[in-house]
Amino acid sequence: MTHTDRPAAWHPARLMAVALLVFTALLPMAQAQEAAPFKDEEIDQMLAPIALYPDSLLSQILMASTYPADVKEAAAWAKAHPDDKGDAAVAKVDGQPWDPSVKSLVAFPQVLSMMGDKPNDVQRLGDAFLADPGRVMDRVQFLRKKAEQAGNLKSNEQQKVSTQTEESKQVIIIEPAQPQTVYVPVYQPTVVYGSWMYPSYPPYYWPPPRYYYPGAAFVGGVIWGAAVVGISNSLWGGFGWGRNEVNINVNRYNNINVNNRISNNSNKFVHNPERRGDVPYRDNRSREQYGKKQLAGAQDRQQYRGKEGRPDARDADRARAQDAMKQRGVDPAAAAIARRQVTAVTPVVDETSIVLGEGRPAT
């Protein structure tokens, strides 16, 4: 074949339009392959690094994990500002578009550092929490009891541990020993909970960032690290263990989120799918409950792109592709979400073909 006989390279806009059209066509296939519910062993595996955190911090991590795209951006911000922490750090990100639960975690850069290093773990944790918050909370209590039985969960100068009864349910509460000073422990899950219960499901481990735990060594399966001080309002979450609810302290929340205040009636966590980005929901129930609002949020972001500054050639290609899709009756925002959902059944795209492989669960 001579040079003049070779097929012309596909225009980027055409490639984008074809890929998104195919992803959209494959969306029913992705939805039809409903993910099996997580096993207790899997949930315990996910919770192992964080189940012994103070209740308030743990509740905000669970909320934030339902917004993995925001967590990724916040982790990048914290990495660029490693010495910012406490309420002062949260005030600096007030203008960011992230969910408030994610913003709150910049008060604890070591936590965001660990979450940023384990994006798949974070997304799976959020998926489990959205699918069944009460079950996740029950598994937290299960792990706390295991640690207590192993002699590795008790009050000390860093934390206060107590047992209470809520709605006829006996639960273990963990709080900072001093309200405005918070220690973020790192655990060896295979030690702190005693003998790990599931050899086939080894516990997740979030290694301590050296910057925040310099020269640290495990003692009894725990590293405490330095305290985070200046915490007055950053910790506004909590648990209603007896009712399987995640609570919000409205006064603290409003004191730190001055441009996004809520009413006294908004004292329970409600997931906001518009902040989900194009990260797909794992199960059909979550897709049915949140999918339409997630699409609305994606459409808003599509409209926002390119409005600040002069679009470059890629922006122009993207705009042409989106126009072509609209002429074919395809919503670009919906296609973007579809693309991420279909990744569960694994599309791989190049300039000449689309190859389907076998999907693998996130680890």
Side-chain angles (χ1 to χ4, degrees):
M1 181 182 291
T2 66
H3 175 75
T4 56
D5 293 330
R6 291 170 60 190
W10 284 33
H11 191 281
R14 187 180 179 191
L15 286 172
M16 181 183 296
V18 171
L20 293 179
L21 282 168
V22 173
F23 287 136
T24 304
L26 290 173
L27 177 57
M29 183 191 307
Q31 292 179 328
Q33 297 190 2
E34 167 69 345
F38 287 117
K39 302 176 183 178
D40 285 349
E41 298 95 307
E42 293 175 292
I43 297 176
D44 292 354
Q45 182 183 50
M46 301 173 208
L47 289 170
I50 58 175
L52 307 186
Y53 280 5
D55 286 22
S56 49
L57 178 57
L58 175 59
S59 71
Q60 288 167 223
I61 289 174
L62 292 177
M63 289 185 260
S65 68
T66 68
Y67 309 104
D70 283 357
V71 169
K72 180 180 178 180
E73 292 184 10
W77 187 94
K79 185 175 182 179
H81 304 81
D83 296 318
D84 287 332
K85 58 187 70 174
D87 287 8
V90 180
K92 289 185 177 182
V93 298
D94 185 56
Q96 297 291 343
W98 314 326
D99 185 81
S101 62
V102 177
K103 292 181 185 180
S104 74
L105 295 184
V106 302
F108 307 95
Q110 62 271 62
V111 172
L112 275 177
S113 176
M114 291 184 280
M115 294 177 77
D117 287 342
K118 301 287 185 179
N120 290 339
D121 294 1
V122 170
Q123 184 169 339
R124 280 169 61 83
L125 177 65
D127 289 340
F129 182 61
L130 279 179
D132 194 341
R135 185 168 172 227
V136 170
M137 291 169 63
D138 287 343
R139 300 316 298 176
V140 168
Q141 288 297 324
F142 171 80
L143 289 173
R144 288 182 174 186
K145 289 173 184 175
K146 294 291 291 185
E148 185 181 56
Q149 291 167 1
N152 295 321
L153 181 59
K154 57 188 70 175
S155 296
N156 53 30
E157 63 184 65
Q158 292 89 9
Q159 66 184 9
K160 176 185 175 183
V161 180
S162 61
T163 301
Q164 301 178 15
T165 300
E166 295 188 10
E167 304 290 337
S168 73
K169 182 188 295 186
Q170 191 174 66
V171 295
I172 297 174
I173 308 295
I174 303 177
E175 304 169 281
Q178 302 296 327
Q180 295 186 355
T181 302
V182 180
Y183 290 86
V184 180
V186 174
Y187 295 101
Q188 285 180 304
T190 53
V191 174
V192 76
Y193 299 110
S195 178
W196 187 251
M197 302 74 68
Y198 322 110
S200 298
Y201 296 89
Y204 290 176
Y205 172 62
W206 294 3
R210 291 184 180 179
Y211 187 81
Y212 301 107
Y213 300 86
F218 286 100
V219 178
V222 182
I223 296 174
W224 284 105
V228 178
V229 298
I231 302 295
S232 296
N233 297 296
S234 298
L235 289 180
W236 42 258
F239 291 107
W241 295 105
R243 299 177 300 280
N244 291 330
E245 295 173 340
V246 173
N247 299 328
I248 295 173
N249 183 311
V250 175
N251 288 335
R252 287 186 181 179
Y253 177 99
N254 286 341
N255 286 341
I256 199 74
N257 295 288
V258 294
N259 293 315
N260 188 23
R261 291 181 173 172
I262 58 177
S263 69
N264 289 331
N265 294 329
S266 302
N267 60 351
K268 303 287 187 293
F269 170 65
V270 177
H271 176 67
N272 177 10
E274 294 183 10
R275 288 291 343 137
R276 179 78 173 185
D278 61 356
V279 179
Y281 290 99
R282 180 178 183 271
D283 58 272
N284 282 337
R285 179 177 173 274
S286 294
R287 283 193 289 268
E288 291 170 0
Q289 184 173 356
Y290 303 118
K292 289 184 179 179
K293 289 187 176 180
Q294 181 190 23
L295 175 58
Q299 289 171 331
D300 289 343
R301 285 186 296 278
Q302 288 282 355
Q303 294 171 3
Y304 179 79
R305 287 173 181 168
K307 290 185 178 180
E308 292 188 354
R310 183 177 178 179
D312 60 18
R314 288 174 297 179
D315 293 327
D317 287 339
R318 187 183 299 114
R320 284 192 291 269
Q322 291 172 359
D323 288 341
M325 293 172 68
K326 288 177 181 177
Q327 291 173 8
R328 292 171 173 81
V330 178
D331 186 325
I337 295 173
R339 181 173 72 251
R340 295 296 297 271
Q341 289 178 331
V342 173
T343 359
V345 287
T346 84
V348 177
V349 181
D350 62 22
E351 290 188 358
T352 58
S353 64
I354 295 176
V355 181
L356 295 181
E358 179 180 354
R360 294 181 176 85
T363 57

